[in-house]
Amino acid sequence: MSMDLSWMKEIDSVEKLLDKDMKLVYENCGIETVINLLENLPSINVYISKAAVTRAQEAYILKHFNGRNVKEIAIKVGCSEMRVYQVIKQNLEKGKKKPENQVTLFEE
């Protein structure tokens, strides 16, 4: 059972009581997020990786790429045009790989 820390909202200048990481969370996400983390993940170290954003960018690129919208996609997801082409190329290469047990018509 998590404890109710909503009373923290009533403290003036609560950010002065927070440590470095929680102060950063407070400044970027607000007191609600701070309270939510403290209530639900007390004493847990949290590392926020950009890997999920990268995977989401790749999924978006693959879904929306039409061959003529590289600049628009790059701007929308915050990456370079080169990155868009890279994702498309990697996907095409994956698609061209044949499974190990698949036989081709003209094997050498």
Side-chain angles (χ1 to χ4, degrees), residues 46-93:
V46 177
Y47 169 75
I48 302 168
S49 170
K50 286 181 60 177
V53 173
T54 301
R55 288 189 301 271
Q57 283 176 332
E58 291 170 358
Y60 186 92
I61 290 166
L62 294 173
K63 180 177 181 180
H64 295 281
F65 178 74
N66 67 16
R68 299 178 306 275
N69 60 344
V70 172
K71 287 183 188 302
E72 292 83 3
I73 289 175
I75 291 167
K76 178 108 180 184
V77 302
C79 70
S80 68
E81 293 172 61
M82 183 62 72
R83 178 66 183 139
V84 174
Y85 286 119
Q86 221 175 28
V87 170
I88 298 303
K89 181 180 176 190
Q90 288 169 353
N91 187 62
L92 288 173
E93 287 173 353

Side-chain angles (χ1 to χ4, degrees), residues 2 35-46:
S2 67
I35 290 171
N36 195 353
L37 287 170
L38 290 171
E39 286 177 345
N40 296 295
L41 302 172
S43 303
I44 302 292
N45 291 322
V46 177

Side-chain angles (χ1 to χ4, degrees), residues 3-57:
M3 66 174 100
D4 179 13
L5 298 176
S6 61
W7 53 266
M8 289 179 69
K9 293 184 232 176
E10 298 175 31
I11 300 173
D12 294 330
S13 302
V14 69
E15 68 277 4
K16 291 179 183 176
L17 306 174
L18 302 173
D19 63 14
K20 293 178 187 177
D21 289 342
M22 290 309 284
K23 187 177 279 192
L24 188 62
V25 171
Y26 173 82
E27 290 169 353
N28 289 280
C29 304
I31 191 64
E32 292 292 337
T33 302
V34 169
I35 290 171
N36 195 353
L37 287 170
L38 290 171
E39 286 177 345
N40 296 295
L41 302 172
S43 303
I44 302 292
N45 291 322
V46 177
Y47 169 75
I48 302 168
S49 170
K50 286 181 60 177
V53 173
T54 301
R55 288 189 301 271
Q57 283 176 332

